[in-house]
Amino acid sequence: MYDKKTVQAAQRLVLHDSLRTYKVKNSRFNLAGQAKETPTKKGAIALFSSKESMQKSHGVVVTSFEALGAIADRMTHWTPNTFNWLGYTQKRANVRGHREDNLAQINTLVVDIDFADAQERDAREQEVLGAVTVADLFIPTMILRTAKGYHVYYVFDHPMFLRKKRGQFPVLKAAQKMSSFVRQWIQERVAGVDVGCNNFGIFRIPRQDNLVFFDAHMLVQVSALMKWSQYYATQVPVTKPDNRQVISLAPDEGRQVDQAWFKALLEVTTVKSGQGLARHNTVLTLALAMYQSKISQQRARDVLDVFNSNLHDPLADREVVQCVRDAYSGNYRGAALSYVQGLLEQWVPNFSGKVVTGMGWHKFAKPRSERQYSHAHEWRRDVLALINRMGRDSAAVAMSTRQIQSELGISPASLNRVLKQLQKAYQLKKVQRGNQPTLLTTVTMLFKSAMVSRQAQSQAWKGYLTTLVPTIATSGYDLPLWTLVAVQKRVNEAPPWEEETRRQTG
């Protein structure tokens, strides 16, 4: 059990200094202390004393950490993401204002995992722990045990602030997609994830009686999670609301240049420079659409030269030429749906036409069992799953490459390439100790092992990070030293899937 001081630290960590320090009225502290209050704008959260009160919106509005500390141990639920304002209906009957379009900042993603009863929850705990390390990269900051399941918190290294642009909230949409993909990832590995609940609504509040895991250094880097989400979007099937797969159009009716979105993007002149869905990505997407539509490469260059010239802040000519070359390299089939939708949201927010699914939207590959070769991402997933399964509750496992080849049926050359990719992304670590067999460890294995014995494993976490990122050894932190931000910077630099999505990640 964690002490009260640690629980309060967990609550403050989630909220990212988004509340006032002192109460505006009836503060227990003197006026001199209140005068030191940070002048920046602060927000509000809501707390509820029971699940029944939460369902009826019978709650308490809190705008300061002083007020939170005074009542938190009597509350069961809260809004971990901060709102611009919250108030009450007449006679203080209900809390009002906790809507997504009133969010001031998004501090954390929370995944709700529910089972039939507490018995099933406890029986499947190890299964849950193996599933919540998303892609063997993103580790929960804390886990709360509920009556029949768990609330898993992934606290961001910095909040995502919401700003309204042209009547839309682009940051909110991006966060919703990230939350959806994280839930989908976990749902594929453990049943019970509530994929339909409000992404940024009401969840259990950390308390001494429900906090089963917490590490303040396990913060998820927003940019790394966003990049992973972009990659993951290309790996999951595109579905309709009724969960039927989207059907691609036939070649003679699926030219992307004939679709409304292409014409709308071609008329935009306000695309700016920057990371993500900016000028380069826009030009590349248009070039890919022309490649898919069998437009000549020279014609594509001419069209994009005109498009680029019309931009208020155009690209250098050589960058346009390079985009066309990349699009016509044969490594792509056409513009991807996720990028077209993102570009429209960013630069054509009032687009009302249909985004028709053409040939380039979704590759209907044969099932793996019917193919002679497996994709690199499939082998990476298989290798990690095998090592995690063989390791069970251990912090490391002795496995030879010959054993992995035998278990998976993978060739030596492919296995060697996959192992290098996993190590490059810090998803896998080799430990060599003299003449002993090489040990393999993953983030999932270390996380599960730490859950079993946090104190005993704290040095293992430190040693793992020190060998990967030597500067952490002198960072001055007290144990535990795990900081996912340092590791995830490597994801931004060269993730193992970089070659698969390099030209379409901004």
Side-chain angles (χ1 to χ4, degrees), residues 109-113 150-154 182-183 186 193 203:
L109 301 182
V110 186
V111 178
D112 182 4
I113 303 176
Y150 302 91
H151 280 188
V152 186
Y153 280 71
Y154 300 86
V182 167
R183 294 181 189 194
I186 299 175
V193 177
F203 298 95

Side-chain angles (χ1 to χ4, degrees), residues 96-137:
R96 64 185 181 92
H98 50 299
R99 311 179 310 271
E100 284 193 342
D101 62 357
N102 186 36
L103 281 167
Q105 62 187 59
I106 296 173
N107 305 311
T108 179
L109 301 182
V110 186
V111 178
D112 182 4
I113 303 176
D114 271 326
F115 299 110
D117 50 39
Q119 184 176 0
E120 184 181 1
R121 175 202 66 193
D122 296 340
R124 300 181 67 178
E125 180 179 18
Q126 289 301 309
E127 184 181 350
V128 170
L129 297 180
V132 296
T133 50
V134 179
D136 263 279
L137 284 170

Side-chain angles (χ1 to χ4, degrees), residues 19 22 27 56 64 98 101 104 126 131 183 198 222 256 263 268 278 283 338 356 368 398 437 439 450 457 470:
L19 305 182
Y22 308 104
S27 174
K56 297 176 181 178
S64 69
H98 50 299
D101 62 357
Q126 289 301 309
R183 294 181 189 194
N198 189 334
V222 174
Q256 294 182 342
K263 299 172 183 177
V268 175
V283 172
S338 58
V356 181
R368 192 178 182 185
L439 298 177
Q457 292 299 327

